[in-house]
Amino acid sequence: MADGTRRTDAGEEGAQSLRIDGARLWQSLMDLATIGATAKGGVRRLALTDLDRQGRDLVVGWFREAGCKVEVDGAGNIFAIRGGRSGRGGNAPVVLCGSHIDTQPSGGKFDGNYGVLAGLEVLRTLNDAGVMTHKPVGVAVWTNEEGSRFVPVMGGSGAFAKVFTLDHLLKQRDADGVSFGEALTAIDYAGDAPMGELAIDAYFEAHIEQGPILEREDKTIGVVTGALGQRWYDCVWTGQDAHAGPTPMEARRDALRGAARFIEAANALALRHAPNGRATVGSLQVSPNSRNVVPGRVTMTVDMRHPDDDSLLKMDGELREAAAAIARELGLECELRQVDQFPSSHFDRECVAAVRRGAQLLGLPHRDIVSGAAHDAIYVGRVAPAAMIFVPCKDGISHNEIEDARPEHIEAGANVLLQAMLARAVS
Ligand SMILES: [Zn+2]
């Protein structure tokens, strides 16, 4: 351990006066961002590539320097544990935090990396202050959160929470036919820690918001209460291909017109379920896609989200009604098929309260917020009490090389993480 001589038990008051080192955290973020750095200031570090190995080696080295025991499981998830009075992690439940360090193909410096390095900064802060917590504290680095090289997304945390089996995960192949298992072995991160057996007292994940709400409202901390439920659809509009000249307007069965109206209808219904309803048409294929042919067939996707499952079900009904009405009116056929569904998730009340109290204690402007995106915390939350802390990111932009965040917000979020973890770990 880094602090053998002056370790003291943290009383509640002593714990509340602790602060992380914002400059050190920022430097760690910038150092990790050099691995896979892109010309435009972003990061390209896809899961289980050699760059991912380099990133992992750097972070694991930092964990070891901080005196942690480091374990790796069969999905390559990394756990760095700092022992407490109640044990070194063996059976004593760990107050855990974490996130991921894989990025999108043109990703940024903060998505995921922030949650991991804020956790590292918490451990360093406890070492500097010589604090001995009652429960062990730790940081998790989850494998393949982004899902851009391998599907499923949140692969490591999903296997940990037994949403799917490790075997299923290891068999998944990337676009070049390389399996998850082969890639994991190639970078030497197939560990032997038993899958999903780490006992977790609570899990906290700090993350940039990836949306515009905190910045717009000038709030430093988002107290994340849960995440939107999602329904994904495939939709096919069928009319008839016809010549753009000889076919009179009233005789057409234009599938693209149906699709266009349907996009508007989906947006309007999401607005009727404001402020948290979402509907997105992100993909459209027009056939035959020729400038002088009335399109006879269009396939499209719809992604609908809402934090309340009953409202999402209502939105589903409204979407189906809209499709039927448009099809009738334009003489088209419409096949609307739901292809996937994720129920909404609600984080643990006590963990959420610990985050809110942390923000209050530090005098930071904060608000409750619902996550529009999925995160590792959602899967971990199925097997342990969990919550998340959001900080603003510039213009709400993420999954982009220009993703940016302000050092003072990064520091504030890590201080809230420290307080939330200590609230669980000192008692
Ligand atoms: Zn992320």
Side-chain angles (χ1 to χ4, degrees):
M1 303 298 286
D3 60 328
T5 50
R6 52 188 198 96
R7 171 165 287 183
T8 54
D9 286 2
E12 216 154 301
E13 251 168 66
Q16 289 183 356
S17 64
L18 282 179
R19 296 291 180 271
I20 63 106
D21 181 338
R24 180 170 57 187
L25 168 56
W26 188 262
Q27 190 56 52
S28 301
L29 277 162
M30 295 308 118
D31 288 347
L32 181 54
T34 61
I35 300 173
T38 62
K40 286 187 194 154
V43 180
R44 178 191 172 90
R45 198 167 56 238
L46 297 183
L48 307 185
T49 56
D50 194 63
L51 287 171
D52 186 17
R53 179 189 62 75
Q54 292 174 40
R56 287 162 174 260
D57 288 353
L58 179 65
V59 172
V60 165
W62 285 335
F63 286 146
R64 292 226 161 91
E65 278 167 28
C68 292
K69 184 180 85 177
V70 177
E71 294 180 354
V72 180
D73 70 17
N77 296 318
I78 300 166
F79 302 96
I81 313 287
R82 182 183 190 270
R85 265 191 327 240
S86 66
R88 284 197 170 237
N91 290 325
V94 180
V95 178
L96 193 68
C97 68
S99 197
H100 58 95
I101 63 166
D102 66 317
T103 76
Q104 289 282 326
S106 49
K109 303 182 185 81
F110 300 95
D111 178 1
N113 300 292
Y114 174 50
V116 170
L117 297 181
L120 170 70
E121 181 54 38
V122 166
L123 303 180
R124 287 171 166 174
T125 301
L126 296 179
N127 286 346
D128 290 349
V131 168
M132 170 65 113
T133 52
H134 178 66
K135 294 168 190 161
V137 294
V139 185
V141 184
W142 306 106
T143 302
N144 189 54
E145 191 273 348
E146 296 289 2
S148 31
R149 182 173 178 201
F150 297 100
V151 175
V153 296
M154 304 182 290
S157 53
F160 182 89
K162 302 197 162 61
V163 177
F164 35 79
T165 63
L166 174 60
D167 200 44
H168 171 78
L169 183 64
L170 295 178
K171 280 189 197 143
Q172 302 308 309
R173 294 188 181 276
D174 69 6
D176 298 323
V178 180
S179 77
F180 188 109
E182 288 159 0
L184 186 60
T185 304
I187 66 161
D188 208 16
Y189 269 89
D192 54 10
M195 177 56 70
E197 291 196 3
L198 179 74
I200 301 174
D201 173 80
Y203 176 77
F204 296 98
E205 183 165 344
H207 208 285
I208 54 168
E209 182 197 343
Q210 304 181 292
I213 296 168
L214 295 176
E215 186 180 67
R216 205 168 59 200
E217 296 188 6
D218 211 10
K219 303 278 196 240
T220 306
I221 299 295
V223 179
V224 188
T225 55
L228 303 182
Q230 306 183 25
R231 285 173 184 251
W232 292 359
Y233 305 84
D234 283 347
C235 180
V236 184
W237 292 90
T238 309
Q240 190 162 45
D241 297 356
H243 197 300
T247 318
M249 298 310 287
E250 68 278 6
R252 296 178 178 204
R253 292 174 60 221
D254 182 341
L256 185 55
R257 245 184 109 203
R261 283 211 193 167
F262 193 51
I263 294 169
E264 278 303 323
N267 279 269
L269 88 84
L271 281 168
R272 285 198 296 278
H273 293 269
N276 286 318
R278 310 265 192 277
T280 305
V281 175
S283 169
L284 197 73
Q285 285 89 38
V286 181
S287 170
N289 208 24
S290 167
R291 76 169 66 231
N292 54 0
V293 180
V294 176
R297 184 183 160 90
V298 172
T299 62
M300 63 199 287
T301 60
V302 185
D303 169 323
M304 287 209 304
R305 306 186 185 206
H306 199 283
D308 168 44
D309 289 324
D310 287 342
S311 299
L312 191 56
L313 184 65
K314 235 189 226 166
M315 289 170 69
D316 173 86
E318 291 173 27
L319 188 74
R320 289 176 191 283
E321 269 169 38
I326 294 165
R328 239 183 351 257
E329 211 173 309
L330 300 180
L332 302 169
E333 278 154 44
C334 178
E335 187 200 328
L336 180 64
R337 199 163 56 88
Q338 185 177 306
V339 291
D340 218 337
Q341 180 178 5
F342 307 91
S344 64
S345 43
H346 304 274
F347 286 134
D348 178 76
R349 208 178 284 254
E350 281 180 30
C351 289
V352 172
V355 171
R356 196 180 292 116
R357 273 197 306 274
Q360 282 163 350
L361 175 84
L362 294 158
L364 296 166
H366 59 92
R367 61 160 280 168
D368 286 7
I369 194 165
V370 175
S371 175
H375 294 286
D376 291 310
I378 289 162
Y379 279 161
V380 180
R382 294 190 185 183
V383 292
M388 291 188 76
I389 302 155
F390 277 177
V391 296
C393 58
K394 190 168 185 291
D395 302 326
I397 290 172
S398 179
H399 285 189
N400 190 314
E401 290 163 276
I402 63 165
E403 177 186 282
D404 203 3
R406 300 221 318 245
E408 61 270 32
H409 292 158
I410 289 292
E411 177 175 350
N415 271 321
V416 172
L417 178 68
L418 171 70
Q419 289 304 325
M421 291 180 78
L422 281 176
R424 298 288 294 212
V426 294
S427 56

